[in-house]
Amino acid sequence: MTPTATSASSAVPAETGRTLAADAPFFIVMNAGSGRRQSDATRTVLERELGAAGRRFDLRIVDDPRKLASVAREAAAAACAQEGVLVGAGGDGTLCAVAQAAHEAGCPFAVLPRGTFNYFSRDHGIPADPEQSTKLLLDARAWPVQVGFVNERMFLVNASLGLYPRLLEDREIYKRQFGRSRIVALWSALSTLLKPHRHLRLHIEHEGSTTEIRSSTLFVGNNRLQMEQIGMPDEARALERGLLVAIAPRPVGRLMHLWLSLHGAAGRLSDSEHVVSFTFGRITVMHPSKKWKRIKIATDGEVARLPMPLEFRVSDKPLLLLKPEPAVAEANRS
């Protein structure tokens, strides 16, 4: 399968910001997995910045990750009822779970970045500094942004199957042992890539035709910053046209996988002849064996099992995100 310039029927409409009511309350859902100290620090900043501005907020700290989605839905319902904003505080996985609740309810969404990589917030120019991101809540407008889906599961940054979900599971084991940092994440990735892995045979339906690919992983991206960092600028620009990007390494050995990863880390992945990429608005992924009923899927760092076939698509409805004005957001991207 070769790269294609597909036109999207579900692209995010031309950007127009929505101004919120000056007294709109904030319903903040935070994953306590980041640590009690960070939770206390977040509450202190909220009380200082929002309290000084006379803005109401409701902070809901989730101690059990299994309850994150249900707490987010409850907070989204409250936000809709009071014409408020649903806010996610955490890394990309937490933000995605809370964002899906906002997307389903139709209320504005905002983020307080608390993760390791923070691809979503960085791509939209939202400051990582707790005080700055909290102050942004007070006067930012809500802008439509693109989100992707695999079946009924939403993703803000990326979704994948094959080797990548295994890499994420191994990374969590390393984090529990050595703590959360980019160095630990990279070391874990190198360790996983050097382990034996199998190649998947996948049938991909795209615009009326079916293509078979063999690869260790299928990666679907929805984040300009991530695409640019691995050296795929053309694919990054395709996201601005309402498309998603699929990337799959050709069948190669472990050392070549490691080499490809290093190439990506150096921002030169598009130079490699061992990688297939294409853009799309919607694809269906199937496995030729009927025994494959469910498969592990990673969405924004969270792993789950989803039923086959898999449908990857751009959502027809954008997410309304509180973020800086376009020129400021672009200047803040890093």
Side-chain angles (χ1 to χ4, degrees):
M1 186 175 290
T2 55
T4 57
T6 311
S7 61
S9 60
S10 54
V12 169
E15 285 198 344
T16 52
R18 169 181 159 188
T19 302
L20 305 181
D23 60 350
F26 301 103
F27 295 84
I28 304 161
V29 178
M30 181 172 187
N31 185 355
S34 56
R36 178 56 57 183
R37 180 178 298 179
Q38 191 174 89
S39 299
D40 292 343
T42 297
R43 185 185 295 276
T44 298
V45 172
L46 291 170
E47 290 174 346
R48 182 172 65 247
E49 301 298 336
L50 300 185
R55 295 292 289 275
R56 290 185 295 125
F57 73 91
D58 178 355
L59 176 60
R60 307 184 183 195
I61 299 177
V62 182
D63 294 307
D64 184 350
R66 294 171 297 181
K67 297 181 180 179
L68 181 61
S70 62
V71 172
R73 286 192 295 269
E74 292 170 0
C80 286
Q82 300 184 43
E83 297 185 347
V85 179
L86 181 63
V87 184
D92 286 325
T94 297
L95 298 185
C96 183
V98 181
Q100 181 155 5
H103 186 261
E104 292 172 353
C107 64
F109 175 66
V111 305
L112 299 175
R114 297 294 186 270
T116 303
F117 292 99
N118 296 321
Y119 276 117
F120 179 70
S121 57
R122 290 165 59 202
D123 192 32
H124 291 286
I126 297 170
D129 178 77
E131 291 191 3
Q132 292 182 25
S133 59
T134 302
K135 288 179 179 178
L136 179 66
L137 300 178
L138 296 171
D139 53 17
R141 291 194 288 169
W143 299 82
V145 301
Q146 173 175 298
V147 296
F149 274 85
V150 50
N151 293 0
E152 301 307 313
R153 194 175 178 94
M154 196 176 82
F155 58 95
L156 302 173
V157 180
N158 59 56
S160 58
L161 62 149
L163 180 61
Y164 197 71
R166 177 182 170 185
L167 185 151
L168 293 175
E169 289 179 324
D170 289 350
R171 187 177 74 185
E172 288 305 308
I173 295 174
Y174 271 71
K175 283 183 177 180
R176 286 195 291 269
Q177 292 178 335
F178 305 108
R180 292 179 176 272
S181 72
R182 295 192 183 193
I183 296 298
V184 170
L186 293 173
W187 180 255
S188 169
L190 292 176
S191 175
T192 302
L193 290 171
L194 291 174
K195 295 177 182 177
H197 54 262
R198 63 179 177 177
H199 294 101
L200 302 173
R201 284 178 59 216
L202 301 173
H203 289 175
I204 299 180
E205 288 188 358
H206 180 222
E207 294 192 331
S209 63
T210 301
T211 303
E212 180 177 297
I213 68 169
R214 288 186 67 245
S215 180
S216 62
T217 192
L218 176 66
F219 180 94
V220 176
N222 184 43
N223 186 271
R224 288 185 305 157
L225 180 62
Q226 192 172 50
M227 292 297 102
E228 290 168 356
Q229 285 189 345
I230 63 176
M232 305 192 82
D234 292 340
E235 288 78 358
R237 285 189 289 271
L239 297 175
E240 298 175 347
R241 304 197 305 273
L243 300 172
L244 298 172
V245 178
I247 303 172
R250 300 184 190 276
V252 294
R254 282 174 281 173
L255 290 179
M256 180 56 71
H257 255 294
L258 179 59
W259 183 86
L260 288 174
S261 299
L262 295 174
H263 228 48
R268 299 176 54 191
L269 194 61
S270 62
D271 296 341
S272 175
E273 61 183 13
H274 298 290
V275 174
V276 175
S277 68
F278 60 96
T279 60
F280 66 92
R282 182 186 302 263
I283 59 172
T284 300
V285 178
M286 300 168 288
H287 192 277
S289 173
K290 294 182 179 180
K291 295 181 180 179
W292 284 54
K293 302 295 184 182
R294 303 180 75 85
I295 190 170
K296 281 185 180 181
I297 299 292
T299 51
D300 293 347
E302 303 297 322
V303 180
R305 286 189 176 272
L306 297 186
M308 297 285 280
L310 302 171
E311 182 185 63
F312 292 87
R313 69 188 187 281
V314 177
S315 174
D316 294 329
K317 181 177 73 172
L319 176 71
L320 292 175
L321 175 69
L322 269 66
K323 64 174 184 174
E325 298 296 303
V328 177
E330 193 63 29
N332 287 348
R333 289 178 73 233
S334 61

